[in-house]
């Protein structure tokens, strides 16, 4: 082949891509890119040191649906378990717009300026239902997010609230291992999310607004019993008198509830997150609660009960999941639905037939 022909042929050939040949400026950085490539020991050491880059990567692993990543996340968590539990877990709930972000930012700042390390996590039930987000798409807690003593983790998402709960719970543990000693878990008062946050926290705070005498209407059953403190937010200016009325209404309503087993009396406070008023009092109330609960041993008891609750919950979620995912179950459900609709079979019989397919 003459030279001319050769170069012509060469020109038609594809060259090897050059991307791979560019040397990485920092080989260590390139390595860090893939969370799976980082050795387990490094995760553990760095998280224990409070390295938030590694903490974030580990959280992403436990949130992952990829089996390899998930497994790595679980290994990290397992190794870090001895370093968890040393925080106060504070649940905050309230309807959208009540001022949760503003309030949490101010409370968070109080904690960081007292030398605490604060992690803020959120459970957003809307993301699992609509893929939209009540909590996620606002610019949130800008000041706190710039604070080196704070770590804000955007909402865990998932198809089922149970899955979101697991991720949030494991995220709490990872944050504790990283030295965060105040963990604030936020949720919107939608669906079952408050019950879930309540079962993840030591102290449960309900934020409310003053309404025109309808404070107690539209409030979900059970939520008052769950609250360890009710805070009427936006209690400033013209809103102060109605806020005081709301405070009275809640206070007298609380008398109708049976006393709590742990002896705690839920109070109703006023605050203005915007004007940074009343936040210190809330902070103190949380401290008093924790001190009392540690003294009467309800603190440990509650955590143990929560562990048991999540054990059962995990089994429930797993069983339901594997039940409804089975092909033969899906088919049987379709068949039985039309049979029950035509009165050919009772729903009990139908359920038994479907369950037999699974068992
Ligand atoms: P979230 O949806 O519950 O997280 O509520 P945000 O913290 O995002 O607050 C909703 C709106 O209420 C924002 O415009 C806040 O600036 C405002 N806001 C929050 N706290 C207060 C407060 O104490 N007083 C007043 N006047 N406005 C507040």
């Amino acid at each position: 082949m003459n030279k001319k022909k050769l170069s012509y042929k060469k020109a038609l050939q594809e060259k090897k891509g050059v991307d791979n040949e560019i040397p990485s400026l920092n080989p260590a950085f390139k390595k860090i890119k893939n969370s799976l490539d980082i050795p387990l020991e490094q995760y553990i050491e760095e998280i224990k040191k409070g390295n938030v880059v590694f903490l974030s990567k580990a959280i992403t692993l436990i949130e992952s649906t990829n089996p390899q990543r998930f497994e790595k996340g679980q290994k990290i968590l397992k190794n870090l378990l001895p370093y968890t539990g040393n925080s106060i877990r504070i649940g905050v709930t309230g309807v959208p717009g009540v001022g949760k972000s503003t309030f949490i930012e101010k409370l968070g700042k109080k904690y960081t300026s007292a030398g605490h390390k604060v992690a803020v996590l959120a459970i957003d039930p809307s993301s699992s239902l609509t893929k939209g987000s009540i909590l996620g798409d606002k610019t949130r807690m800008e000041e706190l997010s710039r604070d080196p003593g704070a770590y804000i983790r955007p909402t865990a998402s998932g198809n089922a609230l149970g899955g979101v709960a697991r991720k949030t719970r494991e995220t709490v543990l990872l944050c504790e291992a990283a030295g965060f000693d105040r963990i604030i878990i936020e949720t919107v008062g939608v669906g079952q999310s408050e019950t879930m946050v309540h079962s993840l926290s030591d102290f449960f705070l309900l934020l409310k607004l003053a309404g025109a005498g309808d404070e107690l209407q539209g409030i979900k059953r059970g939520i008052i019993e769950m609250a360890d403190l009710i805070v009427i937010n936006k209690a400033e200016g013209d809103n102060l008198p109605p806020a005081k009325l709301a405070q009275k209404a809640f206070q007298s309503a609380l008398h109708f509830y049976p006393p709590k087993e742990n002896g705690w009396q839920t109070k109703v406070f006023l605050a203005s997150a915007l004007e940074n008023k009343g936040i210190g009092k809330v902070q103190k109330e949380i401290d008093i609660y924790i001190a009392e609960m540690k003294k009467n041993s309800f603190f440990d008891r509650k955590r143990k009960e929560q562990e048991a609750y999540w054990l059962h919950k995990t089994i429930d979620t797993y069983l339901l999941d594997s039940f409804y995912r089975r092909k033969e179950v899906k088919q049987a459900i379709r068949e039985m639905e039309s049979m029950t609709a035509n009165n050919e079979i009772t729903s009990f019989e139908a359920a038994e037939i479907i369950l037999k397919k699974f068992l």
Side-chain angles (χ1 to χ4, degrees):
M1 216 184 282
N2 65 36
K3 239 182 173 179
K4 208 173 171 186
K5 252 189 173 170
L6 195 70
S7 66
Y8 171 73
K9 204 169 174 209
K10 247 186 156 176
L12 287 179
Q13 278 172 349
E14 269 190 10
K15 282 185 189 149
K16 202 174 153 213
V18 288
D19 283 359
N20 297 337
E21 291 163 13
I22 296 173
S24 161
L25 288 178
N26 180 349
F29 179 71
K30 198 174 173 193
K31 236 184 159 180
I32 265 188
K33 265 191 181 157
N34 189 346
S35 330
L36 278 178
D37 288 344
I38 306 169
L40 186 64
E41 299 71 37
Q42 197 177 354
Y43 269 112
I44 293 157
E45 282 320 305
E46 292 301 327
I47 291 174
K48 270 161 58 184
K49 276 192 247 163
N51 185 330
V52 289
V53 175
F54 281 80
L55 172 65
S56 297
K57 280 183 177 293
I59 295 171
T60 308
L61 288 175
I62 61 149
E63 287 177 348
S64 176
T65 46
N66 170 302
Q68 252 184 313
R69 288 176 182 275
F70 177 79
E71 201 181 311
K72 180 126 189 178
Q74 294 303 311
K75 273 192 192 148
I76 298 169
L77 185 62
K78 201 168 171 213
N79 278 277
L80 287 170
L81 273 184
Y83 308 95
T84 63
N86 308 316
S87 81
I88 294 173
R89 304 164 183 169
I90 303 157
V92 177
T93 193
V95 296
V98 72
K100 290 182 297 301
S101 312
T102 317
F103 183 89
I104 291 171
E105 172 154 77
K106 298 285 161 49
L107 182 64
K109 288 299 286 182
K110 284 244 185 282
Y111 280 134
T112 56
S113 50
H116 291 292
K117 280 183 74 183
V118 179
V120 181
L121 317 171
I123 290 185
D124 182 353
S126 64
S127 61
S128 56
L129 299 173
T130 61
K131 301 274 176 237
S133 173
I134 297 176
L135 289 169
D137 48 11
K138 296 189 270 180
T139 313
R140 294 163 56 77
M141 302 175 220
E142 266 179 38
E143 207 191 329
L144 192 63
S145 62
R146 282 195 301 269
D147 190 323
Y151 176 70
I152 299 173
R153 178 73 186 185
T155 315
S157 62
N159 294 322
L161 211 50
V164 179
R166 181 200 47 85
K167 292 170 193 171
T168 310
R169 217 173 100 75
E170 294 178 351
T171 302
V172 168
L173 298 174
L174 287 178
C175 289
E176 287 173 347
F180 289 91
D181 61 348
R182 292 292 182 276
I183 312 233
I184 303 177
I185 313 161
E186 173 189 3
T187 193
V188 169
V190 174
Q192 287 299 302
S193 63
E194 304 110 329
T195 315
M196 193 196 307
V197 172
H198 181 246
S199 342
L200 291 173
S201 44
D202 304 314
F203 186 90
F204 195 63
L205 191 154
L206 170 65
L207 277 184
K208 289 295 292 174
L209 291 180
D214 59 353
E215 285 76 20
L216 291 161
Q217 282 169 22
I219 195 160
K220 263 193 271 170
R221 259 194 77 79
I223 189 133
I224 302 243
E225 285 107 313
M226 283 197 278
D228 298 306
L229 176 66
I230 297 171
V231 175
I232 318 280
N233 191 35
K234 309 196 186 182
E236 84 267 311
D238 291 347
N239 215 18
L240 192 57
K244 282 184 175 164
L245 284 177
Q247 184 183 28
K248 280 214 179 93
F250 275 107
Q251 257 160 0
S252 48
L254 280 168
H255 290 306
F256 292 106
Y257 288 93
K260 288 188 176 183
E261 204 192 340
N262 61 10
W264 182 252
Q265 267 270 282
T266 302
K267 297 190 190 83
V268 188
F269 285 0
L270 299 179
S272 167
L274 197 68
E275 295 183 358
N276 209 355
K277 281 183 193 154
I279 315 289
K281 205 175 160 195
V282 171
Q283 187 191 6
K284 270 194 206 119
E285 182 76 353
I286 297 173
D287 286 346
I288 294 169
Y289 175 89
I290 299 296
E292 265 190 40
M293 293 307 120
K294 283 194 171 166
K295 219 165 91 189
N296 67 14
S297 76
F298 263 90
F299 188 86
D300 280 342
R301 199 172 125 184
K302 190 172 177 187
R303 283 216 174 160
K304 279 187 188 135
E305 281 170 8
Q306 288 176 338
E307 289 298 330
Y309 171 85
W310 286 109
L311 174 98
H312 288 282
K313 201 86 192 142
T314 309
I315 294 172
D316 292 353
T317 312
Y318 180 86
L319 281 178
L320 273 182
D321 239 40
S322 43
F323 176 77
Y324 283 110
R325 243 192 258 157
R326 284 259 187 100
K327 235 186 186 167
E328 56 271 32
V329 168
K330 279 186 197 165
Q331 202 190 335
I333 289 177
R334 275 194 299 272
E335 286 167 15
M336 292 301 128
E337 272 176 353
S338 70
M339 284 178 79
T340 49
N342 293 331
N343 283 331
E344 290 168 39
I345 190 171
T346 70
S347 31
F348 293 106
E349 284 172 313
E352 215 169 25
I353 291 169
I354 299 166
L355 282 166
K356 273 193 184 139
K357 300 259 177 211
F358 181 67
L359 300 167

